Amino acid sequence: MTSIDADRFRETFETYSDIGRTDNDGLHRLTLSDADVRVRDQFVNDLESLGLDVRIDEIGNIFGRRAGTDPDAAPVLIGSHLDSQPYGGRFDGQLGVLSALETLRAFDEHDVEHRRPIELVNWTNEEGSRFKPALMGSGTFVGEFSVEETLARTDADGTTVEEALESAGYRGDAECGPREPIHSYLELHVEQGPVLEEHGQSVAVVDGIYGMSWLEATIEGTADHAGPSPMHSRRDALVAATDVVQGIRRLSNRYDDVVTTVGELTVEPGSINVIPSEVTFTADVRSYDDTIVAELVERVESELEAACAREGTEYELEEIWRIKHTEFAESVRTAAREAAEEAGVSHRSMVGGAGHDANYLTEVTDAGMLFVPSVDGRTHNEDEFTEWEDVVAGANTFAETTRRLSQ
Amino acid sequence: MTSIDADRFRETFETYSDIGRTDNDGLHRLTLSDADVRVRDQFVNDLESLGLDVRIDEIGNIFGRRAGTDPDAAPVLIGSHLDSQPYGGRFDGQLGVLSALETLRAFDEHDVEHRRPIELVNWTNEEGSRFKPALMGSGTFVGEFSVEETLARTDADGTTVEEALESAGYRGDAECGPREPIHSYLELHVEQGPVLEEHGQSVAVVDGIYGMSWLEATIEGTADHAGPSPMHSRRDALVAATDVVQGIRRLSNRYDDVVTTVGELTVEPGSINVIPSEVTFTADVRSYDDTIVAELVERVESELEAACAREGTEYELEEIWRIKHTEFAESVRTAAREAAEEAGVSHRSMVGGAGHDANYLTEVTDAGMLFVPSVDGRTHNEDEFTEWEDVVAGANTFAETTRRLSQ
C-alpha cells in the first residue's frame, strides 16, 4: 500500500485552517464568504499544481481529475466540503477534502497506477448555514434539487446563490451532474459523535446513515398577567411545550438506537410577567430503521395531544423534512475494511447519525464513508478535535481504499 | 351618595380610547410617545376645564387639585396611569384615571362638599414597557428611585426619560414627591384576573398585593450534533430547563395561594439539529405570604439542582427582584366596603397579584385599591374588556369612597 506523507498533510491542514480561522482556533468559513472564496482559490491552485484537470460546475462544485490508465473507465469520486458552520471546527468537511488531496499527492509522489480516473471534489454548501438546505452541492449534482432552484436560494440578506457565485467568480461553465457513470464515491469525515473514542478505535467503516424526520410544532395558549391569573385558569403554552420536550426526550427510552432532539424553541410574547401565549419548537428524530422514524413522528404527535389536553392549549404539527435511512454500498465497505486491515488501523463498523454528501451520492453511484474520531464527540463548534494520529490512520485507510476502488 | 354620570363617563372613555387606539380596538400608548403626549394634553385640558389647579412635576406626573373646605387638611390623592402596554387594552390604567376624573366632575355637578383637598394624578410610565422599571412615576414620587436616576433611564433607542420629557413638553417645574402629608391614596384598576368574573361580582376591595420574586436562571450544557450523539452522552441544556419549568409549575401544587410563571426562555444556539448548549429562563413566583415567596425561591433552586444532576448540566440562578407583599390601609378598605354597600354594588375582598402604583403609595400614605372585573381575566392585550355596568358600579364605588375619605 501507499502511505500518505503525514508531515505534508499536516502542513496543508494548517494552511487551510488559517483561512477563516477564528480566535479560538475554530473555522468560520460560510459558503461563498470571503474566507470560502480564498480557500477555494487555494484548493484550485493545489489541484492545478498536481496537474489535475480542474472543472467547476454551474453551482460552484469544484472537481480535479487525475487520469487513469483506462481512459474509458468510470471514475472514482473522492472528497467532501470546505465550507464550515458559523464558528465551527477545522475538521468537519475540510479533513475529507484534504485527505483526498493528500491521497492524490501520495499517488503522484509514488507513481501509483490506477485503471480508473480519480476525481477529487469539493461540494458547495454542505453545511446549509448560509443558504438552506444543507447538502446543496451534492443534492443538486444528483438531481435532488434543480439547478434553477438552487441558484435562486437566498441567504438571510436576500443574496441568491447565483449572485454569490457570480461575485465570487465560482459560477463555473460545467453542467452540474454526472457527465458519465461514476464507479464509486468515497468520503472521509469526522464522526461527530463519541463512539470511536469510547471504543478506542481510529477508523469506522460506515454501514449507513440514520433516517430522520424534522418536525415543527406550535402550541397556542393564552397570554395573561403572571400575577392575577390563578394557576387553574391558565393555558400556558410553555408549560405544555416543556411537557412535550420532556416526552420527546423519553421517546428514546423504548429503542436502543434512536436519537431525539429539540434544538429550537421560542416563546411569545417572552416577557417575565406574562404567561406565554405561543411556543414554537422543532424536533429532530432519527433511527436507522425507517419504520421507527415513522413511529417516532406519531409519538411526538401523541405527546403534543396529551400535553395540550392537560393544559387546555392547542397545537399544530408540521413535518418539514423526512429522509429515509441510507445504506452504503457493500463494495465500498469491503474495500474500506480491507484497506484498514492492510494499513493496520483499528477499526469498526457503525451507523452514522448525520447527513453527509455521501448520502446523496448513493443515488447515482456506489457510495461509502470512513469516520475518524471526534474527541468528546464535539462538532459544529470551535472545540472540534481529532488526534493527529487518528487523522493519519484515517487518511492512510482512505488512500488505500481509493487505490483499491480505482483498480 | 353622589352618583357619577354613566353617559358622560362613557363618552370620555371613548374619547380617550381613540388616542392611540389600535386596529383591534386596543390601546398602543407607550410612555411619552406621540399618543401619550396627546392623551396628556387632553387630560390637562379636562383638568383645567374643571377649574382644577394643575401641576406637573419634574418627571411628568400630572396632578389636578380640587380645593376642600379646609385648606390646611391633608389631601386625598386619586388616580392611576394613562400609558399602556404595547398593543394593550383600553381599561388597564386609563379606567382608574377616568374614574377619578368623572368623580370630580360629578362632585362639581352636584356641588359635593369635602373638607380635604382632592388631587387627581396621572403617574408617568406605570407599565415599564418603553422605559424600565415599571411604576416609575409613583416609585420616584415616594423616593424609591431618585429623580436623577429616573431622568437618566433610557429606552431601547437610547433616548433618556429626560429627553423624552423635554421633547414632549412634560418636564414640569414641580418637585417630584409629596410636598405635604397625604391623607390617603385610592386607585381603581381592572383586576387582570378571573376572580370577580368567576364569582359574578362587580367590585373588589383589595386587601393587598402579593409579594414576589423574579429569578433568572441559566443552564449550561454542551452543544453537539443531534444525529451522531447517543442519548446517554448528552448534556442537553433544554432537556434540563424544561424539566425545571415543569417543576416550577408543580410548585404551586403545595400551596393554595401561590402563582408561578416562566415567561421568558431562550435557547442557544437554537438550531434544529444542534443539542442546546445554553438555556436562559425567568421565573416569577408570588404569594401574599413573604415567607412562602422565600420558600418558593429555594424550591426553584432545588428544581435546578435536581434537573442539572439528572442531565449533567450546570446552572446559575440570580434573583433580579424581590418585593414584599403590600397590605393596604384598613381605613381605606373600610371606606371602600362601606361605599360599595351604600352604592348597592356586589363586592368581595381579594388579594391582588400584580404591582400597581398604589403599592408604592403605601410608603407615604394610607393607600387602597378597588378592582373591577376583567372578562376572561384577559389583560395586557387588545382583548382586555370589562362590562360597562361593572365599570359604572366601580366608578360609583370609587366616587363614594373618595367622598368618604375626603370628609
Side-chain angles (χ1 to χ4, degrees), chain A residues 11-239:
Chain A
E11 201 177 307
T12 305
F13 180 75
E14 292 302 333
T15 301
Y16 277 66
S17 297
D18 279 341
I19 305 173
R21 190 191 288 263
T22 65
D23 292 344
N24 300 315
D25 277 339
L27 206 55
H28 186 71
R29 208 159 66 193
L30 303 187
T31 299
L32 298 171
S33 63
D34 286 352
D36 188 38
V37 172
R38 276 184 285 132
V39 82
R40 283 165 173 264
D41 293 347
Q42 172 79 40
F43 181 59
V44 168
N45 192 55
D46 285 338
L47 296 181
E48 287 171 346
S49 299
L50 265 177
L52 303 185
D53 182 17
V54 175
R55 180 171 95 251
I56 299 171
D57 76 14
E58 52 200 323
I59 65 159
N61 294 321
I62 302 172
F63 300 83
R65 185 180 181 111
R66 179 180 158 94
T69 53
D70 177 356
D72 296 330
V76 175
L77 192 58
I78 59 176
S80 190
H81 61 95
L82 289 170
D83 69 320
S84 85
Q85 287 275 323
Y87 300 93
R90 292 168 294 157
F91 297 83
D92 178 350
Q94 172 165 284
L95 201 59
V97 174
L98 298 186
S99 295
L101 178 64
E102 175 55 31
T103 292
L104 293 198
R105 283 178 171 167
F107 285 9
D108 216 44
E109 184 183 2
H110 300 291
D111 295 323
V112 173
E113 284 216 341
H114 44 89
R115 187 169 73 83
R116 302 183 176 282
I118 302 175
E119 283 204 355
L120 209 167
V121 61
N122 168 45
W123 300 110
T124 295
N125 190 37
E126 192 270 352
E127 295 291 359
S129 299
R130 178 174 175 193
F131 299 101
K132 287 186 195 310
L135 310 179
M136 181 181 275
S138 53
T140 311
F141 183 81
V142 304
E144 183 74 17
F145 321 119
S146 75
V147 171
E148 293 66 37
E149 70 184 312
T150 293
L151 291 173
R153 301 275 190 185
T154 52
D155 66 9
D157 297 331
T159 304
T160 63
V161 169
E162 184 167 16
E163 288 161 354
L165 285 166
E166 298 276 8
S167 76
Y170 276 95
R171 172 113 201 246
D173 295 327
E175 201 175 314
C176 179
R179 46 181 195 168
E180 64 197 317
I182 298 170
H183 172 263
S184 49
Y185 174 75
L186 182 67
E187 179 171 1
L188 177 145
H189 206 278
V190 284
E191 179 198 332
Q192 307 183 295
V195 175
L196 281 172
E197 186 184 36
E198 278 177 10
H199 293 80
Q201 290 158 323
S202 295
V203 167
V205 176
V206 186
D207 289 330
I209 304 287
Y210 280 163
M212 60 187 284
S213 169
W214 279 1
L215 302 163
E216 188 171 281
T218 302
I219 295 182
E220 297 280 350
T222 305
D224 261 319
H225 195 300
S229 308
M231 301 306 285
H232 73 275
S233 71
R234 299 180 174 206
R235 296 171 63 244
D236 185 327
L238 184 58
V239 165

Side-chain angles (χ1 to χ4, degrees), chain B residues 128-198:
Chain B
S129 299
R130 178 173 174 193
F131 299 101
K132 287 189 195 307
L135 310 179
M136 181 181 276
S138 53
T140 310
F141 183 81
V142 305
E144 183 75 16
F145 319 119
S146 74
V147 171
E148 293 66 36
E149 72 183 311
T150 293
L151 291 173
R153 300 274 189 187
T154 52
D155 66 9
D157 296 331
T159 305
T160 63
V161 169
E162 183 167 16
E163 288 161 353
L165 286 166
E166 298 276 9
S167 75
Y170 276 95
R171 171 110 203 246
D173 295 329
E175 203 175 311
C176 180
R179 46 181 195 168
E180 66 199 313
I182 299 169
H183 172 262
S184 50
Y185 174 75
L186 182 67
E187 180 171 1
L188 177 145
H189 205 278
V190 285
E191 180 199 330
Q192 306 184 295
V195 175
L196 282 171
E197 187 184 37
E198 278 178 10

Side-chain angles (χ1 to χ4, degrees), chain A residues 192-194 224-225 227-228 230-232 234 239 242-243 246 249 259-264 270-272 276 311 353-354 377-379, chain B residues 192-194 198 224-231 234 239 242-243 246 249 259-264 270-272 276 311 353-354 377:
Chain A
Q192 307 183 295
D224 261 319
H225 195 300
M231 301 306 285
H232 73 275
R234 299 180 174 206
V239 165
T242 54
D243 194 354
Q246 291 287 306
R249 170 58 170 250
V259 287
T260 62
T261 308
V262 176
E264 296 179 36
S271 176
I272 189 166
E311 187 65 19
R378 288 191 301 258
T379 186
Chain B
Q192 306 184 295
E198 278 178 10
D224 261 319
H225 194 299
S229 307
M231 300 306 284
R234 298 179 174 207
V239 165
T242 54
D243 194 354
Q246 291 287 307
R249 170 58 169 251
V259 287
T260 61
T261 307
V262 176
E264 296 178 37
S271 177
I272 189 167
E311 188 66 20

